[in-house]
C-alpha cells in the first residue's frame, strides 16, 4: 500500500526480538505508523505465532497479522557472530523490544551496558511476565498467569461458577499496547536528554490498571469485587438478552437518562418512580426486577426490531456479534476497521486495520507478515556486510 505522505515514525528503526505476543504487538503498532521494524528470529526456532491457530496452505494466518510491516531477519544471538551482528544493528537502531527471561541477554553479552555502549540513544523495552526483579522475575510468564493474578479471572463469570479466563491473549494485548506507549514516552524523553533508557514492562501490571479502582476500594473500604456475570454493581439494567429470533443483544444503562428511556421503551415506566431507581448502585440491587422487565420485552421482538426501537428511543444497545457479523457490520465497514491487504503468498487478506486514525499522517499496512528470514540478506547487506561475511555467519550457525 503506497503512502502519499511521510508517516510520523518514519525515522525510527525498531528491532523486534520478542515472541508471543505482547512485545511483537508493540512493534506492530510502531510499524503501522512508519517505523522500520526488523523482526529478528532464531534460524531454526521462529516466532511461535507463525504456527499458532489456523493456517492456509501451510502459512500461519496469525503471523500475517502480527508480522505486518516487519522485515524478517534470522539471527542466533547466542553465537559470537549473532551477538556481534546484533550489536551492529543496535548501533543504528532506536528501539529494541525483547521478552527473554531476565538475565538471558546478559548471558549472551547483550545486556544494557553492552547495548548502550554502542548506542547511548537506544531504548530497550523489556517485556516479561513479572518484570526484571522481584521473587517471580525468573519464572516463565504468560498472559494467562497475568489474567489469573491480576484479579481479572476472579471477577469474570457467574457468581456460582468457576472464575473464567478469556479465550484470547487479553493480558498480552493490553501489555503490547502499553509497551508501545512506554516506548514512545522513552523516545520523547530522549528528545530532551539525548539519552536512551530501558523500559521494564511486566505483563501482570497493565491488566491490573485497566481493571479499575479495585485496589483503592479494598484499601479504603475492604471491598472485594465479586463475580456478577453480565451484571454490573454500578448500574442496571445491564445484561445480555435473547431476542424472539434467537439472537442476543447487550443493553447498558450507565447514564440515568438512558435507564429511564429503556424502562419507558419496554412499557414499565412506573419503575422510574421507585425510590431506588434514581441511583445506579440501587438499580443494580434490583437487577432481577429490571432484567425481567427488559428481558420479557426483548424476548417478544426480533433483533432487528429491538435495535431499531432502542435507536429510536436513544437507548444503548448492541447486538452480540461473532466474527461473521463483524465482517459485515456497517459501522466497521464505514471505519474500514477490517481492511484488505494484498499478500504475495496468500493473495488478498482481510485483517484489522491500524488502531486509530490520524487526520494528517494516518498509519497504513504496507505488507502482511513475511516468510521466516525473507529479508536476512538484504538487511545485512544494508548493514555493510559482504556476501563472504554473510556466508561465514551462515557457516557458524548465526543465521
Amino acid at each position: 500500500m503506497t503512502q502519499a505522505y511521510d508517516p510520523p515514525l518514519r525515522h525510527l528503526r525498531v528491532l523486534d526480538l520478542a515472541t508471543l505476543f505482547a512485545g511483537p504487538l508493540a512493534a506492530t503498532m510502531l510499524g503501522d505508523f512508519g517505523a522500520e521494524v526488523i523482526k529478528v528470529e532464531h534460524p531454526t526456532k521462529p516466532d511461535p505465532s507463525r504456527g499458532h491457530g489456523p493456517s492456509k496452505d501451510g502459512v500461519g494466518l496469525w503471523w500475517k497479522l502480527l508480522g505486518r510491516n516487519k522485515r524478517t531477519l534470522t539471527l542466533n544471538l547466542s553465537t559470537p557472530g549473532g551477538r556481534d551482528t546484533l550489536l551492529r544493528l543496535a548501533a543504528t537502531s532506536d528501539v529494541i523490544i525483547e521478552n527473554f527471561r531476565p538475565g538471558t541477554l546478559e548471558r549472551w553479552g547483550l545486556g544494557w551496558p553492552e547495548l548502550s555502549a554502542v548506542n547511548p540513544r537506544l531504548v530497550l523495552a523489556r517485556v516479561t511476565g513479572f518484570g526484571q526483579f522481584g521473587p517471580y522475575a525468573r519464572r516463565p510468564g504468560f498472559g494467562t498467569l497475568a489474567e489469573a493474578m491480576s484479579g481479572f479471572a476472579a471477577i469474570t463469570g457467574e457468581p456460582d461458577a468457576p472464575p473464567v479466563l478469556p479465550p484470547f491473549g487479553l493480558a498480552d494485548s493490553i501489555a503490547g499496547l502499553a509497551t508501545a506507549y512506554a516506548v514512545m514516552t522513552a523516545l520523547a524523553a530522549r528528545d530532551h536528554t539525548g539519552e536512551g533508557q530501558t523500559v521494564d514492562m511486566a505483563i501482570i501490571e497493565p491488566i491490573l490498571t485497566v481493571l479499575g479502582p479495585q485496589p483503592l476500594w479494598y484499601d479504603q473500604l475492604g471491598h472485594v469485587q465479586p463475580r456478577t456475570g453480565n451484571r454490573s454493581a454500578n448500574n442496571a439494567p445491564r445484561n445480555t438478552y435473547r431476542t424472539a429470533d434467537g439472537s442476543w443483544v447487550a443493553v447498558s444503562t450507565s447514564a440515568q437518562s438512558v435507564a429511564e428511556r429503556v424502562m419507558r421503551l419496554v412499557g414499565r415506566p412506573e419503575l422510574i418512580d421507585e425510590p431506588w431507581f434514581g441511583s445506579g448502585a440501587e438499580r443494580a440491587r434490583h437487577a432481577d426486577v429490571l432484567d425481567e422487565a427488559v428481558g420479557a420485552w426483548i424476548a417478544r421482538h426480533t433483533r432487528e426490531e429491538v435495535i431499531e426501537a432502542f435507536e429510536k428511543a436513544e437507548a444503548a444497545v448492541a447486538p452480540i456479534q461473532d466474527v461473521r457479523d463483524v465482517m459485515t457490520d456497517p459501522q466497521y465497514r464505514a471505519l474500514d476497521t477490517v481492511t484488505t491487504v494484498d499478500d504475495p503468498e496468500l493473495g488478498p487478506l482481510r485483517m484489522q486495520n491500524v488502531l486509530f486514525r490520524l487526520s494528517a499522517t494516518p498509519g497504513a499496512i504496507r505488507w502482511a507478515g513475511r516468510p521466516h528470514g525473507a529479508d536476512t540478506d538484504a538487511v545485512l547487506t544494508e548493514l555493510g556486510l559482504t556476501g563472504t561475511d554473510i556466508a561465514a555467519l551462515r557457516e557458524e550457525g548465526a543465521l
Side-chain angles (χ1 to χ4, degrees), residues 364-381:
I365 303 171
R366 290 161 285 161
W367 60 82
R370 288 172 56 70
H372 181 226
D375 303 292
T376 297
D377 285 15
V379 170
L380 297 183
T381 299

Side-chain angles (χ1 to χ4, degrees), residues 9 15 53 120 127 137 162 180 183 222 229 277 302 307 321 324 347 354 370:
L9 303 184
L15 303 181
V127 186
V183 165
F277 196 87
T302 66
I307 292 175
Q321 299 191 148
R324 293 168 295 185
V354 298
R370 288 172 56 70

Side-chain angles (χ1 to χ4, degrees), residues 124-322:
L124 173 63
R126 318 195 75 170
V127 186
T128 58
F130 305 105
Q132 295 295 311
F133 56 91
Y136 304 165
R138 292 185 180 272
R139 291 183 182 179
F142 298 99
T144 298
L145 308 188
E147 289 145 12
M149 286 181 58
S150 63
F152 172 85
I155 65 170
T156 305
E158 296 297 329
D160 56 352
V164 174
L165 294 167
F168 66 101
L170 177 63
D172 273 301
S173 298
I174 296 170
L177 300 178
T179 300
Y181 167 61
V183 165
M184 296 308 298
T185 301
L187 291 171
R190 187 182 72 174
D191 290 341
H192 296 286
T193 67
E195 296 181 353
Q197 59 184 298
T198 63
V199 172
D200 180 3
M201 178 62 67
I203 295 174
I204 61 173
E205 292 185 303
I207 188 171
L208 182 59
T209 296
V210 303
L211 283 173
Q214 289 191 50
L216 180 60
W217 286 341
Y218 180 75
D219 174 64
Q220 295 296 302
L221 302 172
H223 175 71
V224 178
Q225 184 173 338
R227 286 193 292 283
T228 56
N230 290 325
R231 289 178 172 177
S232 167
N234 301 309
N235 66 81
R238 191 263 198 184
N239 213 325
T240 59
Y241 307 91
R242 192 176 182 117
T243 64
D245 55 351
S247 297
W248 291 84
V249 296
V251 172
S252 176
T253 57
S254 297
Q256 177 69 23
S257 60
V258 173
E260 294 176 5
R261 291 174 198 150
V262 170
M263 302 323 297
R264 293 190 186 98
L265 171 62
V266 301
R268 297 293 301 275
E270 76 280 2
L271 293 175
I272 299 172
D273 298 326
E274 292 287 344
W276 46 262
F277 196 87
S279 161
E282 285 298 316
R283 291 201 310 275
R285 293 187 183 96
H286 294 79
D288 286 343
V289 174
L290 297 172
D291 274 346
E292 190 282 328
V294 175
W297 184 90
I298 288 177
R300 298 193 300 269
H301 298 81
T302 66
R303 185 176 82 168
E304 183 178 352
E305 291 169 344
V306 170
I307 292 175
E308 182 179 353
F310 267 72
E311 185 173 346
K312 185 177 180 180
E314 297 185 0
V317 69
I320 303 295
Q321 299 191 148
D322 64 19

